[in-house]
Amino acid sequence: MQLATKLIHAGIEPDPATGAIMTPIYQTSTYVQEAPGKHKGYEYARTQNPTRTVLENAIAAIENGKYGIAFSSGMAAIEAVLHTLRPGDKVIASNDLYGGSYRLFTRIFAKYGIEFQFVDLQDAGRLEQFADERTRLIWIETPTNPLIRIVDIQACAEIAHAHGALLCVDNTFASPWLQNPLDWGADIVVHSATKYLGGHSDVVLGVVVVKDESLAEQLHFIQNSAGAVPGPHDCWLVLRGMKTLHVRMQRHCENARQIAAFLRRHPKVQQVHWCGFPDHPNHAIARRQMRDFGAMMSFVLKDDRIETAHRVLSSTRLFALAESLGGVESLIGHPASMTHASIPREERLKSGLSDSLIRLSVGIEDVNDLIADLEQALQQA
C-alpha cells in the first residue's frame, strides 16, 4: 500500500457495531465486564480506548513500524522514552533542538542521574568521539529546530548500534510524509502530533512508534502507569488530520520552495536556513532520506538586531505571530524568546541560534499572498 493510501486507510476499519466509516469517539472511562477479568479487550480508559487504538495502529503503519503508543502531548511522548533509561545512563543529543526537549533533559531528567551531552551532529561521525559504554540513547532531530540542520539518520543508527545504544528521531518537522526514520535504522520515532499530523492547530497530542516488541511493552507500561494518555476526541482529531497529510504537505512544500527563494534574494535578508537549497549543508543527505524539503525555515536579517527582528515579527498580517507549527495557517516566530527561551542564551549562541533569528512555518494559503505579506513586513527592517 502506498503512503498516500495508508494515510487514509491504514489501521482503520468501519465500526463493527454500526458500519460508520469514520472511527467513533469512544467517550467512556470504563467498560462493563461479563465476569471478573472477562471483557472485550477493554477494561479502563487510561489503559485502552478504542479510538486511541485505531490512532496507534494507524501511526504505526504510516511510520512503517509495528507499534504506536499515543500520549497527551509531544513532551509526554518524549518523557516516556526517557523513562526507559536508568540513573548512570548517558544520552547524546543534537545541540540544535527544540527548547522544550532541552528543558526536559537538563532540568528534569538530569536530576535523576542521567547524563546529557549536546553535540553538533551535522557530521554524524562525531558520535564516535562521545559514545561510550554508558551511552544508551542517541537523540536527534532532522531537520533541526530552528536552524534546519540535517543529520544523517542511517549513519547515526549504525554508530549507535555499534555502541549498544538506541537511536531516537524526533520526526515532527518532517512528518511521516517526508521521512520515515525507521526505514533508515532508527529504533524510535517520536512526533508532536499537535503539528503536521493534526494539521489544524486544534489538538495537543504525541506519539511514539517502534518496531521492537519488548521496547513497545516498556512504553505501553509507562503509558498506562504514568497515565499521560490522550483523550478520545483528541485521538479522533489527529486521525482526521492524518487523512489529508499528503495533500497538505505537498502544498506546504510548494509554498516553502517559493518563499525560501524570495527570502534568499531579498535585499534585507542576510541568510536563509532551508534544507532545499543545493548549497545547504548536508543537502545531499536530505535528498536521500527525505521525499521533499519541508515547510520549516528560518532567516536572519542584514540588520542583525533583535529590535529590527521584532519590528518584522510584529508587522505580518497573514503570518500569525505564535508558537507551534505545522498547521494549515502560516506562523512566524522568534525562537530566542518563544520556542527556545528555556535554553540559556550562551547555549543558544553556541549552537548558532542568534537573538534575531526568525522562524517560519509556511502554511497552505496562496503563496503570492504570503510573499506579499512578508514583503510588506520586511519593509520595517
Side-chain angles (χ1 to χ4, degrees):
M1 191 183 293
Q2 298 300 305
L3 182 52
T5 308
K6 277 187 186 180
L7 285 163
I8 295 172
H9 294 287
I12 298 172
E13 299 289 342
D15 176 49
T18 65
I21 194 168
M22 292 299 294
T23 303
I25 301 170
Y26 285 89
Q27 194 71 50
T28 184
S29 60
T30 193
Y31 307 85
V32 174
Q33 302 187 25
E34 296 178 33
K38 185 179 181 182
H39 51 77
K40 298 178 180 179
Y42 295 91
E43 305 162 81
Y44 185 65
R46 187 187 69 248
T47 309
Q48 317 106 335
N49 176 278
T51 313
R52 192 171 86 215
T53 298
V54 173
L55 172 63
E56 291 174 335
N57 291 340
I59 189 61
I62 290 162
E63 276 288 16
N64 297 331
K66 292 183 178 178
Y67 309 97
I69 307 97
F71 296 88
S72 55
S73 68
M75 294 311 305
I78 294 171
E79 180 187 33
V81 174
L82 295 181
H83 273 307
T84 65
L85 302 173
R86 297 180 178 182
D89 289 347
K90 187 168 83 170
V91 178
I92 301 173
S94 47
N95 67 337
D96 176 25
L97 80 168
Y98 171 51
S101 301
Y102 180 92
R103 178 177 56 208
L104 182 68
F105 293 173
T106 60
R107 298 185 63 181
I108 304 294
F109 279 89
K111 293 189 299 186
Y112 303 115
I114 297 171
E115 180 185 347
F116 294 89
Q117 287 186 310
F118 299 93
V119 180
D120 183 348
L121 293 177
Q122 292 180 93
D123 176 4
R126 297 193 71 216
L127 276 175
E128 293 284 6
Q129 302 174 34
F130 299 91
D132 57 30
E133 68 280 357
R134 294 192 300 114
T135 305
R136 292 292 174 266
L137 183 67
I138 310 296
W139 187 281
I140 66 172
E141 298 175 3
T142 182
T144 63
N145 181 3
L147 294 173
I148 321 299
R149 290 171 176 160
I150 298 299
V151 180
D152 189 327
I153 299 171
Q154 186 174 23
C156 287
E158 290 172 356
I159 295 171
H161 297 158
H163 288 272
L166 299 178
L167 175 66
C168 181
V169 179
D170 184 335
N171 202 30
T172 299
F173 261 33
S175 87
W177 178 250
L178 298 183
Q179 180 173 271
N180 299 116
L182 296 178
D183 291 352
W184 296 99
D187 302 284
I188 307 169
V189 175
V190 300
H191 285 276
S192 173
T194 308
K195 314 305 194 294
Y196 284 112
L197 290 173
H200 293 80
S201 302
D202 56 8
V203 63
V204 174
L205 193 142
V207 293
V208 181
V209 181
V210 299
K211 287 184 175 180
D212 183 77
E213 184 177 6
S214 63
L215 185 55
E217 288 176 355
Q218 287 185 67
L219 290 165
H220 276 297
F221 177 81
I222 292 164
Q223 177 197 48
N224 182 49
S225 301
V229 295
H233 186 248
D234 291 342
C235 293
W236 182 88
L237 285 170
V238 174
L239 276 168
R240 182 200 62 177
M242 283 165 53
K243 288 178 180 291
T244 60
L245 178 65
H246 55 306
V247 290
R248 287 187 285 108
M249 290 306 300
Q250 288 165 1
R251 176 59 67 86
H252 281 300
C253 292
E254 290 169 5
N255 283 356
R257 189 178 303 276
Q258 295 187 58
I259 287 173
F262 159 77
L263 288 172
R264 191 173 231 198
R265 62 177 178 262
H266 198 281
K268 294 192 176 184
V269 174
Q270 177 69 36
Q271 185 179 18
V272 182
H273 303 284
W274 181 64
C275 62
F277 292 132
D279 59 353
H280 185 86
N282 284 349
H283 172 76
I285 295 171
R287 286 180 62 88
R288 185 177 76 242
Q289 66 191 23
M290 299 174 71
R291 299 179 182 91
D292 206 333
F293 302 110
M296 298 302 302
M297 65 186 68
S298 57
F299 64 96
V300 178
L301 301 167
K302 286 185 177 177
D303 183 1
D304 189 16
R305 294 178 298 161
I306 192 169
E307 298 82 8
T308 309
H310 281 180
R311 287 200 300 273
V312 174
L313 287 156
S314 300
S315 298
T316 56
R317 297 162 185 164
L318 284 177
F319 280 85
L321 178 59
E323 297 194 10
S324 198
L325 59 105
V328 294
E329 62 287 310
S330 294
L331 301 179
I332 189 169
H334 182 235
S337 66
M338 297 168 74
T339 55
H340 291 67
S342 56
I343 301 177
R345 183 173 185 270
E346 60 272 18
E347 294 300 321
R348 294 199 306 267
L349 294 176
K350 279 183 195 176
S351 67
L353 199 169
S354 70
D355 287 343
S356 61
L357 186 79
I358 295 171
R359 192 188 78 176
L360 300 181
S361 172
V362 177
I364 66 172
E365 303 94 336
D366 187 284
V367 70
N368 295 309
D369 291 331
L370 295 177
I371 290 173
D373 188 36
L374 290 172
E375 176 62 59
Q376 63 84 25
L378 286 167
Q379 296 308 311
Q380 308 305 314

Short mmCIF file of all heavy atoms in Angstrom, two decimals, residues 300-325:
data_model
loop_
_atom_site.label_atom_id
_atom_site.label_comp_id
_atom_site.label_asym_id
_atom_site.label_seq_id
_atom_site.Cartn_x
_atom_site.Cartn_y
_atom_site.Cartn_z
N VAL A 300 17.86 35.25 8.99
CA VAL A 300 18.46 36.35 9.74
C VAL A 300 18.50 37.57 8.85
O VAL A 300 18.81 37.47 7.65
CB VAL A 300 19.88 35.98 10.21
CG1 VAL A 300 20.52 37.15 10.96
CG2 VAL A 300 19.86 34.74 11.09
N LEU A 301 18.18 38.72 9.42
CA LEU A 301 18.20 39.97 8.67
C LEU A 301 19.62 40.52 8.55
O LEU A 301 20.48 40.26 9.40
CB LEU A 301 17.31 41.00 9.36
CG LEU A 301 15.83 40.60 9.51
CD1 LEU A 301 15.14 41.54 10.48
CD2 LEU A 301 15.13 40.57 8.17
N LYS A 302 19.84 41.34 7.53
CA LYS A 302 21.14 42.01 7.42
C LYS A 302 21.34 42.96 8.59
O LYS A 302 22.45 43.10 9.10
CB LYS A 302 21.23 42.74 6.09
CG LYS A 302 21.45 41.81 4.90
CD LYS A 302 21.65 42.57 3.61
CE LYS A 302 21.95 41.59 2.47
NZ LYS A 302 22.09 42.27 1.16
N ASP A 303 20.27 43.62 8.99
CA ASP A 303 20.33 44.44 10.20
C ASP A 303 20.06 43.50 11.37
O ASP A 303 18.94 43.34 11.84
CB ASP A 303 19.28 45.55 10.14
CG ASP A 303 19.33 46.49 11.34
OD1 ASP A 303 20.20 46.27 12.22
OD2 ASP A 303 18.51 47.42 11.42
N ASP A 304 21.14 42.86 11.81
CA ASP A 304 21.02 41.72 12.72
C ASP A 304 20.87 42.19 14.17
O ASP A 304 21.70 41.89 15.04
CB ASP A 304 22.24 40.82 12.58
CG ASP A 304 22.11 39.51 13.33
OD1 ASP A 304 20.98 39.17 13.72
OD2 ASP A 304 23.14 38.84 13.54
N ARG A 305 19.79 42.92 14.41
CA ARG A 305 19.49 43.37 15.77
C ARG A 305 18.12 42.85 16.17
O ARG A 305 17.21 42.75 15.35
CB ARG A 305 19.49 44.90 15.85
CG ARG A 305 20.86 45.55 15.62
CD ARG A 305 20.74 47.06 15.68
NE ARG A 305 19.84 47.55 14.63
CZ ARG A 305 19.26 48.75 14.66
NH1 ARG A 305 19.46 49.56 15.69
NH2 ARG A 305 18.47 49.13 13.67
N ILE A 306 17.99 42.54 17.46
CA ILE A 306 16.73 41.98 17.93
C ILE A 306 15.59 42.97 17.76
O ILE A 306 14.45 42.59 17.47
CB ILE A 306 16.86 41.51 19.39
CG1 ILE A 306 15.66 40.65 19.79
CG2 ILE A 306 17.07 42.68 20.35
CD1 ILE A 306 15.84 39.93 21.11
N GLU A 307 15.88 44.27 17.87
CA GLU A 307 14.83 45.28 17.72
C GLU A 307 14.28 45.28 16.30
O GLU A 307 13.07 45.42 16.08
CB GLU A 307 15.37 46.67 18.06
CG GLU A 307 15.84 46.84 19.49
CD GLU A 307 17.25 46.32 19.71
OE1 GLU A 307 17.92 45.95 18.71
OE2 GLU A 307 17.68 46.28 20.88
N THR A 308 15.16 45.09 15.32
CA THR A 308 14.72 45.04 13.93
C THR A 308 13.88 43.79 13.67
O THR A 308 12.85 43.85 13.00
CB THR A 308 15.94 45.06 12.99
OG1 THR A 308 16.79 46.14 13.35
CG2 THR A 308 15.51 45.22 11.54
N ALA A 309 14.34 42.67 14.23
CA ALA A 309 13.57 41.44 14.08
C ALA A 309 12.18 41.59 14.68
O ALA A 309 11.18 41.14 14.10
CB ALA A 309 14.31 40.27 14.72
N HIS A 310 12.09 42.25 15.83
CA HIS A 310 10.79 42.44 16.48
C HIS A 310 9.86 43.27 15.60
O HIS A 310 8.65 43.02 15.57
CB HIS A 310 10.98 43.12 17.83
CG HIS A 310 11.42 42.17 18.91
ND1 HIS A 310 11.65 42.55 20.20
CD2 HIS A 310 11.63 40.82 18.88
CE1 HIS A 310 12.02 41.51 20.92
NE2 HIS A 310 12.01 40.46 20.14
N ARG A 311 10.40 44.26 14.90
CA ARG A 311 9.54 45.06 14.02
C ARG A 311 8.95 44.21 12.91
O ARG A 311 7.77 44.34 12.58
CB ARG A 311 10.33 46.23 13.44
CG ARG A 311 10.64 47.35 14.44
CD ARG A 311 10.97 48.65 13.74
NE ARG A 311 12.12 48.55 12.88
CZ ARG A 311 13.38 48.73 13.26
NH1 ARG A 311 13.64 49.00 14.54
NH2 ARG A 311 14.37 48.64 12.40
N VAL A 312 9.78 43.33 12.34
CA VAL A 312 9.28 42.44 11.29
C VAL A 312 8.25 41.47 11.86
O VAL A 312 7.17 41.26 11.29
CB VAL A 312 10.45 41.68 10.64
CG1 VAL A 312 9.93 40.64 9.64
CG2 VAL A 312 11.40 42.64 9.94
N LEU A 313 8.56 40.88 13.00
CA LEU A 313 7.67 39.91 13.63
C LEU A 313 6.31 40.51 13.95
O LEU A 313 5.28 39.81 13.91
CB LEU A 313 8.31 39.38 14.91
CG LEU A 313 9.49 38.42 14.73
CD1 LEU A 313 10.38 38.42 15.95
CD2 LEU A 313 8.99 37.01 14.43
N SER A 314 6.27 41.79 14.27
CA SER A 314 5.02 42.43 14.66
C SER A 314 4.27 43.04 13.49
O SER A 314 3.19 43.62 13.69
CB SER A 314 5.31 43.52 15.70
OG SER A 314 5.92 42.97 16.86
N SER A 315 4.82 42.90 12.27
CA SER A 315 4.22 43.59 11.12
C SER A 315 3.50 42.68 10.15
O SER A 315 2.85 43.17 9.22
CB SER A 315 5.32 44.37 10.38
OG SER A 315 5.90 45.35 11.21
N THR A 316 3.62 41.36 10.30
CA THR A 316 2.93 40.49 9.36
C THR A 316 1.42 40.49 9.62
O THR A 316 0.97 40.72 10.75
CB THR A 316 3.47 39.05 9.44
OG1 THR A 316 3.35 38.58 10.79
CG2 THR A 316 4.91 38.98 9.00
N ARG A 317 0.67 40.19 8.58
CA ARG A 317 -0.79 40.18 8.68
C ARG A 317 -1.37 38.78 8.47
O ARG A 317 -2.35 38.41 9.11
CB ARG A 317 -1.39 41.15 7.66
CG ARG A 317 -0.97 42.61 7.92
CD ARG A 317 -1.18 43.49 6.71
NE ARG A 317 -0.66 44.84 6.94
CZ ARG A 317 -0.43 45.73 5.98
NH1 ARG A 317 -0.69 45.41 4.70
NH2 ARG A 317 0.04 46.93 6.26
N LEU A 318 -0.77 38.02 7.56
CA LEU A 318 -1.21 36.64 7.35
C LEU A 318 -0.40 35.68 8.20
O LEU A 318 -0.94 34.72 8.76
CB LEU A 318 -1.07 36.26 5.87
CG LEU A 318 -2.13 36.83 4.92
CD1 LEU A 318 -1.82 36.43 3.48
CD2 LEU A 318 -3.51 36.37 5.31
N PHE A 319 0.90 35.89 8.28
CA PHE A 319 1.74 35.08 9.16
C PHE A 319 1.43 35.47 10.59
O PHE A 319 1.72 36.59 11.01
CB PHE A 319 3.23 35.30 8.88
CG PHE A 319 3.76 34.54 7.70
CD1 PHE A 319 3.64 35.05 6.42
CD2 PHE A 319 4.38 33.31 7.86
CE1 PHE A 319 4.14 34.36 5.32
CE2 PHE A 319 4.90 32.61 6.78
CZ PHE A 319 4.76 33.13 5.50
N ALA A 320 0.81 34.57 11.34
CA ALA A 320 0.44 34.86 12.72
C ALA A 320 1.65 34.68 13.63
O ALA A 320 2.38 33.69 13.52
CB ALA A 320 -0.69 33.94 13.18
N LEU A 321 1.87 35.66 14.52
CA LEU A 321 2.95 35.57 15.49
C LEU A 321 2.51 34.64 16.61
O LEU A 321 1.72 35.01 17.47
CB LEU A 321 3.28 36.97 16.02
CG LEU A 321 4.39 37.04 17.09
CD1 LEU A 321 5.70 36.49 16.57
CD2 LEU A 321 4.56 38.48 17.57
N ALA A 322 3.02 33.42 16.58
CA ALA A 322 2.56 32.39 17.53
C ALA A 322 3.56 31.26 17.58
O ALA A 322 4.31 31.01 16.63
CB ALA A 322 1.19 31.85 17.11
N GLU A 323 3.57 30.54 18.70
CA GLU A 323 4.36 29.32 18.81
C GLU A 323 3.65 28.20 18.05
O GLU A 323 2.55 28.38 17.55
CB GLU A 323 4.57 28.96 20.28
CG GLU A 323 5.37 30.01 21.04
CD GLU A 323 5.88 29.53 22.38
OE1 GLU A 323 5.78 28.31 22.66
OE2 GLU A 323 6.38 30.37 23.15
N SER A 324 4.31 27.06 17.98
CA SER A 324 3.82 25.88 17.28
C SER A 324 4.15 25.97 15.79
O SER A 324 4.83 26.90 15.32
CB SER A 324 2.32 25.65 17.49
OG SER A 324 1.98 24.31 17.15
N LEU A 325 3.66 25.00 15.03
CA LEU A 325 3.98 24.88 13.61
C LEU A 325 3.09 23.80 13.02
O LEU A 325 2.36 23.11 13.73
CB LEU A 325 5.46 24.50 13.43
CG LEU A 325 5.92 23.19 14.09
CD1 LEU A 325 6.09 22.08 13.05
CD2 LEU A 325 7.20 23.39 14.87
#
